[in-house]
Amino acid sequence: MDKARLLELGKQLGPRLYPWLEEWRERRSSCRLRVAVVGMGKMGLLHAGIAGLLGNRLAAIVDTSRLVVAAGPRVLRGTKFYRSVEEMLGDVEVDAVYVATPPEHHYPVLQALLSTGYRGGLFVEKPPVVRWEEAEELLGKKCECMAGFQKRYAAPLRHARLLLEEGVLGEPLEVRATVMSSDVMEPTKRWDRLGRGVLLDLGIHVVDTLVWLFGGGFRVVEACRKSVYTGVDDYFYLVMERRGVRAVVEASWSTPGYRVPETRISIRAGEGWLETGEDFLRARLGEAHWLLGGLREAALYRPHYYQGIPPVNLADQEYVFENIDFLLSTCTGRPAETVLERVAETVRLVDEAYEYAGECREVVRRAQGGG
Amino acid sequence: MELLLGDNPFLGVSHLAQERAREELREASLARKAEVVVAALDAGATGFTFSAHESNLELLEYLGREYGVLGEMNYYILVPYAYGYVRKATVMGTAGLAAKLLKDLVGGGVVSAARALLGLDVERIAAVFIEREAKPFLQLLPRSRVKAILLHEVVTELIIAFGLERLYERIASHVEERIGVGFGVETRNVGLFQEWVRGRRVPGYVMTPLNPIGYQMAPGLREAEEAVERLSKGTRIIAMNVLASGAIGLEEALEYLEKWRGRIHGVAVGTSKPWRARENFSLLRRRLAGK
């Protein structure tokens, strides 16, 4: 395949995939925020790091860990540390808050923030809540919090959405999606209290990506779960349906051979075929199309899309774009792409899947290439 | 010029696509990895840059035992192996992981670690942690051949993001003065790093992506090039990701790198195949090292 043509396509796609990037560049010097992080685990650290690289100040950290609160001020000398959001908001002014606690604390922390009258930017890591009722309640309170579904910001997946939106592939006929990782390869009780496992932690990304790619309208028709190392689901099999088209989803965090979690979505449609994930897109069409660089068949990877973007690097590029959307939306007041209202169907479907699921008699299909 | 073999394919790391990395990792038996290193050396590689991962320790022990080549190359050790800690944090929780690390470093239980922390210098603990991560490699490799300990990009980026000047200074002086090897950083934010380090202690080495399409060169191709240009006047630049993770060919990468001759100290390239190691390093040697 013509390398130069694919690189040119990647460059051309940039403004289509990230239409607000230019606005952020123009506003970045005036959009410098005081941010706070609730829950300074690895995701809190990641978001705080990206926000810092983008020119914002980490004003406050809330964490219940004595270790974090004791050690933190000795390293982050300009940042204030607190044990609760109420304590923080009573003492310091912040423009944006990242909630990155363990999932079971998302809802109470969001409740606490809303009850103080906080009206700044609000970001909550995925899953935004554990159960659908919690989402309903937050929506009732007009919570405009952004949920951390960063896959929606991955260029290959945004490219896939563009192909679907433009009707280049024709009507979808069959959808298969997997998310696999080797994150849990030994017994742990860490998720027992939460009562939900891989579907809520990882599978929710795939469910959300499918909802977003196809514009929603799914319902759960089949689901089962299996435990391997934990007291919750280490493997989840889910079938959803939309306008007569079935989408089969598999999620596992106990499949050997994955250094990092990997998403793979395959779509067979009337006029083509597409396979994509967070770091690639392969498509074959009935006819050549400019969205594939004037080709009928193409394979694009991260370097094709991310030429000179994003403007900072920390972890995968999608996290940076997600943070730019959040910070820009906080500055401008326009809703971010993944505000709770826009991800509500995802939360509902995952909740339904747990309600529906029995024990899998066997792991239905092994991850492709996962050993 | 240093022509360095990188270890990403040995660890299942690909910035192109993870599915490719998994394929490479499946091929990467210990013997095969050793063949890659030896092929690279035969073709003109001058060193090996690698993460402080136990599989690399195993590889180096094997290379010493089976091929006796440890004294024939230079080493640039990336510390810590951040992804290993990310995975541990998933299972243990970040606070749990931090407590365990502290316990390992200062001894005693979690409570005594937390107490120790109150009385101790956190920057010193971080410096000791870096030394502990590098120690097995420092014990194995000829010391004169260990050219630098490089801070893993995740640590470097967080130092820039939070302005952790004291932490940076402490680690740098610990590496250079106490351990007695060169200090460097790996960064994918070379533009920001160049601004941040102005007026501060400049590291001996900066390892950063350098390719004609600007992949992983932040804040953008032109600005990153300018930053590398400026940094090259006071530090040794090691170019990495020169093939833009495979999106461009070696010839295109070489044409681009030739423009940087005299301003870059080294180039790092990884592969999981002995024949490709031979091919790539022969070309790199001829075109960049002029041999």
Side-chain angles (χ1 to χ4, degrees):
Chain A
M1 232 173 279
D2 186 340
K3 283 190 174 191
R5 195 186 277 205
L6 295 179
L7 288 168
E8 188 51 38
L9 171 63
K11 242 191 233 175
Q12 282 175 11
L13 283 171
R16 290 285 298 266
L17 301 183
Y18 303 104
W20 30 257
L21 185 59
E22 203 44 50
E23 186 185 0
W24 178 80
R25 284 199 176 108
E26 284 163 13
R27 284 176 172 262
R28 80 173 288 189
S29 55
S30 59
C31 177
R32 291 188 187 264
L33 307 175
R34 296 161 295 182
V35 305
V37 172
V38 184
M40 200 58 169
K42 65 175 181 182
M43 294 314 294
L45 194 58
L46 173 69
H47 291 300
I50 293 172
L53 291 171
L54 290 169
N56 303 281
R57 190 170 74 79
L58 181 58
I61 289 173
V62 179
D63 203 291
T64 53
S65 159
R66 288 179 198 282
L67 193 61
V68 170
V69 176
R74 288 161 185 267
V75 183
L76 298 166
R77 290 183 168 78
T79 304
K80 291 190 162 188
F81 283 74
Y82 305 92
R83 300 292 297 275
S84 73
V85 290
E86 293 87 350
E87 197 190 335
M88 171 188 76
L89 291 175
D91 189 52
V92 67
E93 267 190 55
V94 294
D95 307 301
V97 177
Y98 291 92
V99 179
T101 58
E104 63 270 31
H105 300 300
H106 289 175
Y107 175 69
V109 169
L110 290 171
Q111 286 275 42
L113 282 161
L114 294 175
S115 67
T116 62
Y118 172 74
R119 289 287 174 266
L122 198 44
F123 176 97
V124 59
E125 247 313 317
K126 63 82 200 166
V129 289
V130 177
R131 287 170 205 286
W132 170 239
E133 306 89 82
E134 297 167 339
E136 273 184 314
E137 206 161 313
L138 291 168
L139 286 166
K141 289 181 179 171
K142 307 272 181 235
C143 178
E144 287 196 5
C145 49
M146 174 181 178
F149 287 113
Q150 84 280 0
K151 303 289 177 202
R152 292 193 187 194
Y153 296 89
L157 292 167
R158 290 174 89 85
H159 188 188
R161 189 168 187 246
L162 201 55
L163 288 163
L164 286 164
E165 273 179 350
E166 298 277 328
V168 179
L169 283 170
E171 280 301 307
L173 302 171
E174 189 185 4
V175 180
R176 288 191 161 270
T178 60
V179 60
M180 299 287 158
S181 88
S182 312
D183 284 348
V184 181
M185 300 303 290
E186 56 189 85
T188 172
K189 293 183 187 312
R190 191 168 173 223
W191 286 274
D192 288 5
R193 203 174 37 171
L194 186 63
R196 293 182 172 186
V198 69
L199 181 67
L200 186 70
D201 188 76
L202 265 186
I204 196 167
H205 275 307
V206 180
V207 173
D208 182 64
T209 305
L210 292 177
V211 167
W212 169 71
L213 283 175
F214 293 99
F218 283 99
R219 66 186 182 94
V220 173
V221 293
E222 201 180 328
C224 71
R225 56 202 278 183
K226 195 170 180 65
S227 295
V228 182
Y229 295 110
T230 69
V232 294
D233 49 304
D234 297 319
Y235 169 84
F236 209 104
Y237 176 82
L238 167 67
V239 183
M240 305 189 299
E241 195 181 78
R242 177 187 180 268
R243 296 182 194 165
V245 178
R246 285 160 69 92
V248 178
V249 175
E250 281 182 276
S252 164
W253 59 22
S254 302
T255 302
Y258 290 85
R259 193 182 67 92
V260 292
E262 282 179 50
T263 307
R264 181 177 290 213
I265 295 171
S266 308
I267 301 165
R268 192 169 62 79
E271 289 163 43
W273 165 91
L274 177 153
E275 189 170 38
T276 186
E278 52 277 275
D279 55 10
F280 74 99
L281 177 137
R282 284 188 283 269
R284 193 166 52 229
L285 306 174
E287 287 177 17
H289 196 279
W290 85 265
L291 279 172
L292 275 193
L295 299 165
R296 271 191 62 208
E297 191 173 350
L300 288 93
Y301 297 90
R302 284 187 190 271
H304 297 112
Y305 296 106
Y306 302 121
Q307 296 178 58
I309 56 168
V312 302
N313 284 309
L314 184 58
D316 290 336
Q317 293 88 347
E318 50 264 33
Y319 288 106
V320 175
F321 287 114
E322 174 188 55
N323 273 278
I324 289 175
D325 190 24
F326 171 58
L327 297 163
L328 186 61
S329 70
T330 302
C331 287
T332 60
R334 67 143 176 85
E337 290 190 12
T338 57
V339 284
L340 191 56
E341 196 185 344
R342 292 179 184 172
V343 302
E345 180 174 336
T346 301
V347 179
R348 184 180 53 74
L349 285 167
V350 167
D351 204 53
E352 274 178 27
Y354 275 109
E355 294 296 321
Y356 198 103
E359 188 74 9
C360 296
R361 274 192 232 132
E362 58 183 321
V363 172
V364 182
R365 193 169 64 90
R366 292 175 75 97
Q368 292 173 11
Chain B
M1 180 183 284
E2 287 277 43
L3 302 178
L4 306 172
L5 179 70
D7 71 335
N8 272 352
F10 296 171
L11 298 177
V13 178
S14 167
H15 298 290
L16 182 77
Q18 272 309 122
E19 62 175 5
R20 181 169 297 188
R22 276 190 288 111
E23 282 164 25
E24 287 179 338
L25 191 61
R26 271 198 288 273
E27 292 172 12
S29 65
L30 184 57
R32 172 73 170 230
K33 288 190 280 189
E35 282 173 33
V36 172
V37 177
V38 172
L41 277 176
D42 287 346
T46 58
F48 182 34
T49 177
F50 60 91
S51 291
H53 185 280
E54 57 194 23
S55 69
N56 280 326
L57 187 64
E58 191 188 11
L59 170 63
L60 289 163
E61 283 167 348
Y62 183 84
L63 281 164
R65 199 169 58 240
E66 301 294 324
Y67 292 93
V69 292
L70 291 187
E72 294 174 27
M73 49 187 158
N74 294 330
Y75 302 96
Y76 296 80
I77 312 172
L78 279 157
V79 181
Y81 179 64
Y83 296 110
Y85 289 104
V86 169
R87 180 169 290 174
K88 282 180 190 161
T90 302
V91 175
M92 300 170 70
T94 309
L97 174 64
K100 185 183 181 307
L101 287 174
L102 266 174
K103 187 179 159 188
D104 292 348
L105 285 169
V106 304
V110 174
V111 176
S112 65
R115 265 199 210 124
L117 195 67
L118 289 171
L120 281 178
D121 177 347
V122 179
E123 277 97 11
R124 183 173 173 276
I125 291 178
V128 171
F129 168 69
I130 295 295
E131 183 177 358
R132 195 195 68 162
E133 293 286 290
K135 198 169 179 180
F137 298 93
L138 296 169
Q139 285 172 336
L140 175 70
L141 302 171
R143 185 56 69 94
S144 63
R145 287 293 202 169
V146 179
K147 297 299 173 190
I149 288 176
L150 307 170
L151 272 190
H152 188 281
E153 64 185 71
V154 169
V155 181
T156 309
E157 318 309 14
L158 292 177
I159 284 173
I160 305 168
F162 302 136
L164 304 179
E165 184 175 359
R166 284 172 61 155
L167 183 73
Y168 168 81
E169 291 279 350
R170 191 64 177 261
I171 294 173
S173 61
H174 192 88
V175 169
E176 285 181 346
E177 287 141 35
R178 193 179 156 93
I179 303 176
V181 301
F183 169 72
V185 300
E186 180 196 30
T187 181
R188 292 178 208 273
N189 291 293
V190 73
L192 283 176
F193 180 76
Q194 185 265 322
E195 280 173 30
W196 186 82
V197 84
R198 224 169 18 203
R200 297 189 168 99
R201 179 191 195 122
V202 178
Y205 300 85
V206 173
M207 184 186 269
T208 195
L210 206 55
N211 55 68
I213 66 169
Y215 181 51
Q216 296 190 328
M217 293 168 68
L221 174 64
R222 190 175 44 78
E223 300 95 324
E225 285 178 339
E226 286 168 9
V228 169
E229 175 77 49
R230 286 190 206 107
L231 280 168
S232 70
K233 290 174 180 132
T235 189
R236 296 182 179 97
I237 302 289
I238 299 172
M240 65 174 188
N241 214 347
V242 295
L243 298 169
S245 302
I248 61 166
L250 185 60
E251 182 55 39
E252 197 182 343
L254 283 166
E255 277 174 27
Y256 180 73
L257 289 169
E258 277 172 333
K259 297 177 197 159
W260 288 93
R261 273 173 79 161
R263 289 171 293 170
I264 55 175
H265 172 74
V267 173
V269 179
T271 176
S272 60
K273 295 173 175 61
W275 65 265
R276 185 166 287 154
R278 263 188 296 275
E279 204 172 277
N280 286 359
F281 281 97
S282 299
L283 268 170
L284 285 164
R285 188 192 66 214
R286 278 204 301 276
R287 299 277 293 273
L288 297 179
K291 291 176 191 168

